[in-house]
Amino acid sequence: MNSTTIHAKRSRPAFNWREDLAASRNLSSNQIQAFGFVVGWFESWRVRMALQPGRGSAREFWKVCVLAKQREDWQLTQWAEGMRWYLQWFEICRENGGDGKSVPERLRAAVYSAGARRGLSNETRKSYAGWLVRFGEWAGSARRVLDQEAAREWLTELVASGKRSFSTQKQALNALVFFYKDVCGYEEVELRVKFRKPKPREPVILEIEEVMAVIEKLEPKYQTMASLQYGAGLRLAELSRLRIKDVDLKRGVLTVHQGKGDRDRTTVIPKCLTQTLEEQVAYSRQLWEQDRDNQVPGVSLLGMELKFPKSGTKWTWHWLFPAAELSTDPASGIRRRHHILGKVYGAAFRRAAEEAVPAKRVTTHAFRHAFATHFLEGGADIRTLQELLGHADVKTTQIYAHAAEIGNDNGIRSPMDKVSFPKGLQNGEESQEVPCLRNFPDLPNGRSCTGGAAALGQFGKRLPKTNGGGVHFSQ
């Protein structure tokens, strides 16, 4: 299939409001620019809200977006004229067999459809569709969207802006490759864009006391989730999507399906969580039985419905951490029981972390970092940790070995730890001179060290005296 075939398969003619607006002979250049602004604003909002084009969505946009804040009279007049132009254009499209849908909207629908056929998760479809919507808004026309040279130019601008991480750049590339291969049917896609790879960042490491403090500050309904995330070293998505069949409490083994890179793996279940998880399983069973009694549709199988059509109603496929209320599945429109959403748990986690560990920037992923670091500090080998974390490359795991070496009392130590510091600096006694630093040679400006304050760079001064109520320096 190629671009010609795609055009031939269209059931309706495609109209582009941007092209028609730019070609309007009865409008001035200022009007074209002003109308383009408000209609572009409306179309972006409408596509994001998944609303159909027409008078109803235009009226909702005017109420929610335009009238949401104080506007100048000239703005309201100009924007109203622009929306009237759009509605007239939309009626002409309908009269000529068009549907008035924009290029970004058609791209979004095509990606969602192809993603469902290929069995992509809803999150992946949503991500790819979002990138194609941005690309479609930038390209402006269907003809340019099908041009790989335009895609290469857009990706280059994305990289050059310097505001996108390496993973975000790769995600945009993957979305375009999926579009050209799985939607357009191109056999070869050559975008040839060199990404800007950032320098590696050191992970935020929590001490075990800090981990427990965060868990204690969490709402009770999230404490079991947080405990298991730390105890098994799970990513947020892996934690929220756990099913009953993934938990083997007798063997203490947790199975992670479709983790990062679509890889499966097993990890450990802490023995101290056995009773807590048994109670969580019992709670999940209660909700499952309630749903069966009320004939609620089965849980989502995340793209495996065709392979296991009846498994959604079976107990083994039920969520380990189910949501308390039913919700509408955005992928299918079915009202069913979903798992606790990652963003809901993440928001609760951040609130608890800000209260428990205010000095550190902590997200849910910090518990995975803490698991890895504490695991290595306990004497485990890095290859075992790699398997538990599900890393494809051991280089990714090695960052935790470095963190463990620095933080471990038996690992890397500062040379200052070899200095015998005065007791008064710690327990409030009178300051004392440090014998090992006395008369230290080659000090700046020919000074000699006569007191322990030299260790703090205060040459010729004495160490601070502390009395419990503050710090005072004596000359």
Side-chain angles (χ1 to χ4, degrees):
M1 183 184 294
N2 52 33
S3 59
T4 304
T5 308
I6 294 172
H7 285 293
K9 285 192 172 185
R10 287 179 179 153
S11 58
R12 294 184 177 183
F15 297 93
N16 190 316
W17 68 265
R18 289 187 184 276
E19 293 179 351
D20 292 338
L21 177 62
S24 297
R25 299 183 180 181
N26 60 337
L27 299 176
S28 66
S29 59
N30 289 338
Q31 285 178 312
I32 291 175
Q33 183 177 1
F35 292 5
F37 167 77
V38 69
V39 176
W41 179 15
F42 162 67
E43 282 289 275
S44 296
W45 173 83
R46 184 181 64 79
V47 173
R48 187 171 66 253
M49 301 301 294
L51 298 176
Q52 293 298 316
R55 194 170 297 274
S57 57
R59 188 181 296 112
E60 186 70 14
F61 163 76
W62 193 263
K63 180 176 66 175
V64 172
C65 298
V66 176
L67 300 182
K69 58 186 296 187
Q70 189 68 31
R71 308 286 184 183
E72 299 290 340
D73 290 340
W74 67 267
Q75 289 178 314
L76 294 175
T77 301
Q78 197 176 65
W79 293 349
E81 291 177 356
M83 292 305 296
R84 279 194 291 270
W85 176 91
Y86 166 80
L87 292 175
Q88 292 174 359
W89 172 87
F90 176 68
E91 290 301 325
I92 294 173
C93 288
R94 292 179 61 183
E95 291 172 0
N96 288 273
D99 56 9
K101 292 185 177 180
S102 63
V103 171
E105 192 171 10
R106 297 202 302 273
L107 287 173
R108 178 181 180 178
V111 170
Y112 263 102
S113 176
R117 295 196 310 269
R118 297 295 187 270
L120 299 184
S121 68
N122 187 58
E123 287 78 7
T124 303
R125 279 180 275 168
K126 184 178 180 180
S127 173
Y128 284 4
W131 282 115
L132 264 298
V133 165
R134 296 184 187 96
F135 175 52
E137 291 174 346
W138 176 88
S141 67
R143 187 180 300 105
R144 199 164 185 218
V145 162
L146 295 173
D147 184 5
Q148 292 188 38
E149 188 63 37
R152 189 179 302 114
E153 181 181 346
W154 179 68
L155 278 176
T156 302
E157 289 185 9
L158 194 70
V159 174
S161 67
K163 298 180 181 180
R164 306 287 184 179
S165 66
F166 179 72
S167 59
T168 301
Q169 298 167 38
K170 287 292 293 293
Q171 195 177 67
L173 172 65
N174 293 338
L176 287 174
V177 171
F178 175 81
F179 169 71
Y180 286 121
K181 283 189 173 182
D182 293 81
V183 177
C184 300
Y186 294 155
E187 294 182 358
E188 295 184 4
V189 179
E190 292 290 340
L191 297 179
R192 300 190 301 275
V193 176
K194 186 175 182 180
F195 290 146
R196 175 185 52 82
K197 193 167 186 178
K199 297 179 180 179
R201 306 296 181 186
E202 291 292 329
V204 175
I205 305 298
L206 298 176
E207 298 296 332
I208 182 62
E209 295 81 7
E210 295 172 323
V211 170
M212 301 312 296
V214 172
I215 295 176
E216 184 178 352
K217 293 294 183 181
L218 270 170
E219 299 172 49
K221 60 183 177 180
Y222 300 123
Q223 288 181 346
T224 303
M225 291 184 70
S227 300
L228 184 60
Q229 183 177 22
Y230 167 68
L234 301 174
R235 299 180 178 92
L236 177 57
E238 297 169 348
L239 172 70
S240 60
R241 293 176 183 173
L242 286 174
R243 301 179 189 268
I244 296 300
K245 66 183 182 62
D246 301 331
V247 183
D248 188 342
L249 293 177
K250 290 185 178 180
R251 295 177 58 233
V253 175
L254 188 70
T255 304
V256 176
H257 293 284
Q258 294 179 312
K260 190 173 182 179
D262 200 28
R263 292 185 294 269
D264 295 353
R265 74 177 191 278
T266 56
T267 184
V268 296
I269 296 177
K271 292 182 178 180
C272 60
L273 290 182
T274 300
Q275 182 177 350
T276 303
L277 288 175
E278 287 176 347
E279 295 173 357
Q280 179 63 35
V281 170
Y283 170 72
S284 179
R285 176 82 183 192
Q286 180 182 349
L287 291 181
W288 175 79
E289 291 177 349
Q290 176 182 314
D291 291 346
R292 300 289 68 77
D293 293 340
N294 296 331
Q295 297 183 343
V296 175
V299 297
S300 172
L301 299 184
L302 302 178
M304 295 186 293
E305 285 83 359
L306 294 178
K307 187 175 182 180
F308 307 105
K310 297 182 180 180
S311 295
T313 57
K314 294 183 178 180
W315 162 238
T316 54
W317 286 84
H318 198 64
W319 306 114
L320 176 62
F321 299 108
E325 303 294 335
L326 302 180
S327 59
T328 302
D329 190 337
S332 62
I334 299 174
R335 186 167 178 78
R336 55 170 40 134
R337 177 109 28 211
H338 205 56
H339 56 68
I340 292 179
L341 296 179
K343 63 180 180 181
V344 176
Y345 164 69
F349 188 97
R350 286 191 296 273
R351 291 193 298 269
E354 288 172 359
E355 185 177 354
V357 197
K360 293 183 178 180
R361 182 180 176 275
V362 180
T363 64
T364 59
H365 209 69
F367 269 23
R368 179 173 161 89
H369 294 324
F371 166 83
T373 305
H374 300 164
F375 190 80
L376 290 177
E377 287 176 345
D381 65 279
I382 198 167
R383 288 292 181 181
T384 301
L385 178 61
Q386 179 190 0
E387 294 177 2
L388 294 177
L389 294 178
H391 288 159
D393 192 339
V394 72
K395 292 181 180 179
T396 309
T397 319
Q398 286 174 345
I399 189 173
Y400 299 113
H402 178 64
E405 287 177 354
I406 292 180
N408 195 336
D409 290 339
N410 297 323
I412 299 173
R413 300 184 64 187
S414 168
M416 197 172 190
D417 288 332
K418 299 179 181 179
V419 175
S420 177
F421 254 78
K423 297 180 180 179
L425 193 60
Q426 299 177 356
N427 58 20
E429 298 176 0
E430 286 291 325
S431 62
Q432 304 173 9
E433 294 184 355
V434 184
C436 64
L437 296 179
R438 187 184 301 146
N439 298 325
F440 197 88
D442 302 326
L443 293 178
N445 302 324
R447 296 181 180 182
S448 62
C449 175
T450 59
L456 302 177
Q458 301 292 330
F459 301 118
K461 297 182 180 180
R462 299 184 64 81
L463 285 171
K465 298 178 180 179
T466 61
N467 55 12
V471 178
H472 306 278
F473 287 88
S474 59
Q475 299 292 336

